[in-house]
Amino acid sequence: MRDQRRQIARYVWQLLSGELANKVLRFAALVVFARALSPNNFGLVNVAIALSGIALVASSLGLPDLGARDAAVAPERAGWLAGHVAVTRVLAVGAVASVGILVAALVWPSHTLLLIMAAAMAVFMAASGDWLARGLERMSLASAANAAGGLTVLAGSLVVATLSSSATAALGAFALGECVVAAVLWISLHRLSRVEFGVRGMRAMLHRARPLAVSSLAIYSYYANFDTIILAASHSNRQAGLYSAPYRLFLVLNLVGVFAAYAMLPTLARLADARGQADADWLVRSALAVLAGYGLFTLGLAELKGADALGALFGAPFREASGAFVLLAAGVAWYAIGYPAGYSLIALGENARFLRGAATASVISIGLDIALIPPLGMSGAGLATMLAFAAAALVWLSARGLLGRQTLPIVAALIGTSGLAVTVAFSDGAESVSGAATLAVSVALLSIGFRFRLSRIWSRVLRGPDAR
């Protein structure tokens, strides 16, 4: 089991190395756009990216997650899975995007070209085979493809900043980056396995993927830019543009939890297939303290230096979004433990239980976005995201059987530091105290996670000083 844990850690690093390069490059491109475009056009770019993501997830049908699991358990089916999942997803996203463009041409005719570019971006993402690379444990391939896409976006941003200041041209750079990612993956995967394109035989797979399809929509409802769209509608495109800066940082910070979940999936799927439930539980539980420590470390830094970071990267106007950034960083800490626990249910074949947590958080997120954003603006959006992520984490931990005395210190630490984050976001003068306290808790959790099994320490605390 220790060997498998080291292997998972290696997979996490491989995914992170490429994706960090990708995110850093894309983040640099966003900095270029934030300075080259007006806040109004920058807001339009982010709204279009959100709409592209919605179209993609609405048509994913749960196939990427299920396909990754099937490829891990039966790699000999990789060629069939690659071709059939890709064709089905491209047809689905094309249908959804076509309807969206027709509706937008009637209600938002001045931005039709922008939405066509967003649709092209969604199609390229649907055609990508990153899920298959992860399922086959080709993490370095997924990393290289993502890094190539990020480099393309950055190069495109420099060209756009020089020649144009339109939102459509900026979005074109992102669409080209997704095209490069898909091309690199397909060229490499075709060498690994003979790809069989088609849709015949997909009905059974679509039936199995139904809970994951609903889960994807539910997760995206609180992980996408719905809050950005509501901000633009209830306040202004400028507010949406200012909020997009901390939101992009938030997406980068969330990578650790997401890739921890992706890296564990192949190993957990094989353990579950071999009826190794206890070993699978141990792998997930042993990662929680480290992931929570990471999340709280980012929250402490956001409280201490968030406003300065936003101003230095995006420009002085973006310092206004520092309160929202603190709340989003608190959401990172909850998601860092919740998503790996929830995603491990897919490896165990418990797709309906995975849906339970995603649906709960979806309802909370949409309701709070509608209730909090109009009166509170950007801070309302950040608070809604934090509370939705906390709800998702608690439900997934419970569904996975991990919510108990062994994880009580982690949950208590996250609740306490989240309360401090709310105080920082909605009042002045608490940043130093809250940031220092949060960093201290994060260091304690990281130390426990790296050196000991949290369950053993906590059981000794409960038994008293005489416990051996």
Side-chain angles (χ1 to χ4, degrees):
M1 290 301 297
R2 287 189 176 88
D3 290 340
Q4 290 176 329
R5 204 165 112 179
R6 282 194 290 268
Q7 183 183 55
I8 288 171
R10 185 171 69 252
Y11 288 161
V12 172
W13 173 246
Q14 288 175 350
L15 286 170
L16 276 175
S17 60
E19 187 61 14
L20 279 175
N22 172 43
K23 291 297 184 184
V24 168
L25 292 167
R26 288 174 184 257
F27 187 76
L30 281 166
V31 171
V32 172
F33 286 135
R35 294 179 176 274
L37 306 179
S38 66
N40 182 73
N41 279 347
F42 187 63
L44 284 174
V45 170
N46 284 279
V47 169
I49 291 174
L51 293 174
S52 177
I54 292 169
L56 175 70
V57 175
S59 55
S60 70
L61 308 175
L63 295 176
D65 296 322
L66 184 61
R69 182 197 181 279
D70 288 355
V73 174
E76 67 277 3
R77 298 185 65 228
W80 186 92
L81 287 167
H84 285 65
V85 169
V87 170
T88 304
R89 292 187 71 203
V90 168
L91 290 175
V93 77
V96 171
S98 298
V99 173
I101 290 171
L102 289 175
V103 172
L106 298 175
V107 300
W108 208 18
S110 60
H111 297 294
T112 302
L113 185 58
L114 179 72
L115 294 176
I116 291 175
M117 193 66 70
M121 182 176 170
V123 169
F124 291 139
M125 288 190 287
S128 176
D130 59 326
W131 57 270
L132 183 62
R134 296 195 308 269
L136 295 175
E137 298 179 287
R138 302 282 180 168
M139 310 301 182
S140 58
L141 171 57
S143 295
N146 286 326
L151 184 61
T152 302
V153 174
L154 178 58
S157 72
L158 296 174
V159 173
V160 171
T162 303
L163 302 178
S164 174
S165 60
S166 74
T168 302
L171 191 63
F174 285 98
L176 182 60
E178 299 301 340
C179 180
V180 169
V181 172
V184 170
L185 284 166
W186 278 110
I187 291 172
S188 301
L189 289 171
H190 187 70
R191 296 170 180 170
L192 297 176
S193 181
R194 181 175 175 272
V195 179
E196 303 174 29
F197 293 102
V199 294
R200 182 174 296 178
M202 285 298 293
R203 179 176 297 180
M205 190 171 182
L206 287 168
H207 178 76
R208 291 169 54 213
R210 279 189 303 179
L212 297 178
V214 180
S215 298
S216 296
L217 287 171
I219 290 171
Y220 204 76
S221 70
Y222 63 89
Y223 195 59
N225 287 45
F226 273 132
D227 44 10
T228 305
I229 297 170
I230 295 174
L231 262 174
S234 63
H235 290 267
S236 65
N237 287 333
R238 182 180 184 276
Q239 285 279 299
L242 293 177
Y243 178 71
S244 296
Y247 196 86
R248 294 300 160 186
L249 277 173
F250 159 77
L251 293 178
V252 173
L253 295 172
N254 259 337
L255 288 176
V256 171
V258 172
F259 285 144
Y262 289 166
M264 285 191 289
L265 178 67
T267 300
L268 292 174
R270 286 193 295 269
L271 287 173
D273 193 57
R275 302 183 183 274
Q277 179 73 38
D279 291 341
D281 290 346
W282 185 86
L283 276 176
V284 177
R285 188 179 291 112
S286 64
L288 292 183
V290 174
L291 293 170
Y294 158 77
L296 293 184
F297 186 78
T298 63
L299 173 57
L301 290 182
E303 290 171 339
L304 293 173
K305 295 295 182 181
D308 294 338
L310 291 173
L313 289 169
F314 296 98
F318 291 90
R319 292 177 65 92
E320 295 178 34
S322 60
F325 183 36
V326 169
L327 294 169
L328 290 171
V332 169
W334 284 104
Y335 205 65
I337 66 167
Y339 191 70
Y343 204 75
S344 68
L345 290 166
I346 298 175
L348 304 180
E350 300 287 348
N351 298 339
R353 292 166 67 192
F354 178 66
L355 169 60
R356 199 177 303 160
T360 300
S362 174
V363 172
I364 292 173
S365 175
I366 294 174
L368 290 179
D369 278 342
I370 295 171
L372 298 179
I373 290 177
L376 300 178
M378 292 182 286
S379 293
L383 180 58
T385 299
M386 184 198 78
L387 292 174
F389 276 31
L394 293 174
V395 173
W396 275 327
L397 287 169
S398 177
R400 189 63 178 76
L402 299 174
L403 190 60
R405 69 177 190 176
Q406 295 172 335
T407 54
L408 181 58
I410 294 174
V411 173
L414 264 62
I415 291 174
T417 51
S418 295
L420 292 174
V422 174
T423 301
V424 170
F426 289 99
S427 64
D428 296 325
E431 292 88 348
S432 298
V433 174
S434 180
T438 301
L439 287 176
V441 174
S442 74
V443 170
L445 287 175
L446 286 169
S447 299
I448 291 171
F450 280 122
R451 296 187 61 186
F452 306 105
R453 284 190 61 181
L454 183 63
S455 58
R456 291 179 179 175
I457 292 177
W458 188 239
S459 63
R460 289 181 183 179
V461 171
L462 291 177
R463 291 199 303 268
D466 295 331
R468 293 182 180 179

